[in-house]
Amino acid sequence: TGGDSGSDTDVINPGTAPGFPPFEYTEDGELVGFDVDLAEAAIERAGYEVGEWTEIEFDSLIPSLTQGNIDLIAAAMTIDEERQETIDFTDSYYESDQAVLVREDGELNPESVDDLADQRVGAQSGTTGQDEVEALVDDGTVNADDVRQYDNYTLGVQDLENGNVDALIIDIPVARNFADGRAVSIAFTIETGEVYGMGMRQDDDRLADINDALAEIQEDGTYDELVAEWFE
Ligand code: GLN
């Protein structure tokens, strides 16, 4: 920003919201994931230095970026118009729709959103999954009292396993990750056509360099290697 007064413009401090595997999560106390590797590769390829990672709640990422506490959001964040009012996004780097995650005991086996009528439905605060939950409240399918919001989806999955919520609306690749190992399964999906971008401040002209770096990473096979490492 204009207030940077010559401080480390060559350092990019990334921020993310762990609890969203395989994009970003904590393993043995360490932050890992596809976004972590991709962001670091892009920052370095663009000729900048990877600074300190900040781990915060998803909901706090955009304020943290605009306030200058972080310089780049790498958090499987969907590029959407509302967010674009306050931040810019890099070119998209991943596509996703939403999934409805339920307990795998098969007690509730919804095939469409209509089958979620009068169920307790949750999402992580500030996400596009939450937007879907709110749409179900708006159209009268779900009661406002039955909405559950979580600081992160990992807490939501625990609540789902424990029977405190009946369904979570969550990005498909993350739903798959949880379904593989936890007592939850994907009931059906909701096509939203979302694409993820990394967020940067609107006045940060390093964005163009990060875009060039992302394009290179996609062309030279680095991107495919990361996909193979984290999704297969
Ligand atoms: N892609 C979703 C969104 O942008 C969820 C991201 C997340 O929970 N990290 O809202």
Side-chain angles (χ1 to χ4, degrees):
T1 70
D4 264 347
S5 63
S7 69
D8 312 321
T9 48
D10 57 337
V11 175
I12 292 186
N13 294 305
T16 193
F20 205 62
F23 291 97
E24 41 268 337
Y25 60 103
T26 309
E27 196 172 67
D28 303 326
E30 211 184 312
L31 176 66
V32 295
F34 177 77
D35 279 335
V36 177
D37 285 354
L38 184 66
E40 291 190 353
I43 291 168
E44 281 166 8
R45 186 71 67 101
Y48 301 109
E49 192 183 313
V50 179
E52 287 279 319
W53 277 92
T54 297
E55 299 172 37
I56 45 178
E57 288 164 12
F58 186 78
D59 231 1
S60 305
L61 286 166
I62 290 179
S64 187
L65 176 68
T66 55
Q67 286 158 24
N69 299 328
I70 59 175
D71 301 311
L72 178 136
I73 296 172
M77 188 176 275
T78 300
I79 300 174
D80 78 13
E81 279 178 18
E82 199 187 327
R83 292 170 180 161
Q84 281 174 314
E85 285 171 16
T86 37
I87 66 169
D88 278 347
F89 284 96
T90 62
D91 295 331
S92 67
Y93 67 87
Y94 206 87
E95 292 173 13
S96 175
D97 293 314
Q98 296 290 312
V100 172
L101 205 56
V102 296
R103 269 181 299 289
E104 71 180 355
D105 61 18
E107 217 170 280
L108 178 68
N109 208 353
E111 287 170 12
S112 74
V113 286
D114 293 336
D115 295 334
L116 295 177
D118 300 324
Q119 301 298 323
R120 297 164 300 173
V121 184
Q124 175 174 300
S125 297
T127 58
T128 49
Q130 191 194 345
D131 293 341
E132 296 298 318
V133 174
E134 275 162 16
L136 293 177
V137 173
D138 290 343
D139 73 13
T141 307
V142 169
N143 304 309
D145 287 352
D146 290 334
V147 170
R148 300 287 180 271
Q149 281 191 41
Y150 299 98
D151 284 346
N152 67 65
Y153 274 114
T154 298
L155 296 170
V157 168
Q158 269 166 31
D159 236 17
L160 183 59
E161 287 179 322
N162 294 336
N164 298 321
V165 66
D166 302 303
L168 292 179
I169 304 186
I170 174 171
D171 300 39
I172 290 179
V174 183
R176 283 204 190 106
N177 189 284
F178 282 125
D180 178 19
R182 306 287 293 263
V184 297
S185 62
I186 295 177
F188 63 94
T189 60
I190 304 171
E191 203 178 315
T192 55
E194 292 167 66
V195 295
Y196 303 161
M198 294 182 198
M200 293 183 74
R201 275 183 299 281
Q202 292 181 332
D203 61 358
D204 192 336
D205 54 21
R206 298 176 291 184
L207 177 68
D209 300 328
I210 297 292
N211 274 333
D212 289 345
L214 280 172
E216 268 181 45
I217 284 168
Q218 282 175 334
E219 275 157 28
D220 75 0
T222 306
Y223 181 89
D224 291 338
E225 278 169 29
L226 291 178
V227 167
E229 180 179 345
W230 292 104
F231 294 94
E232 281 149 34

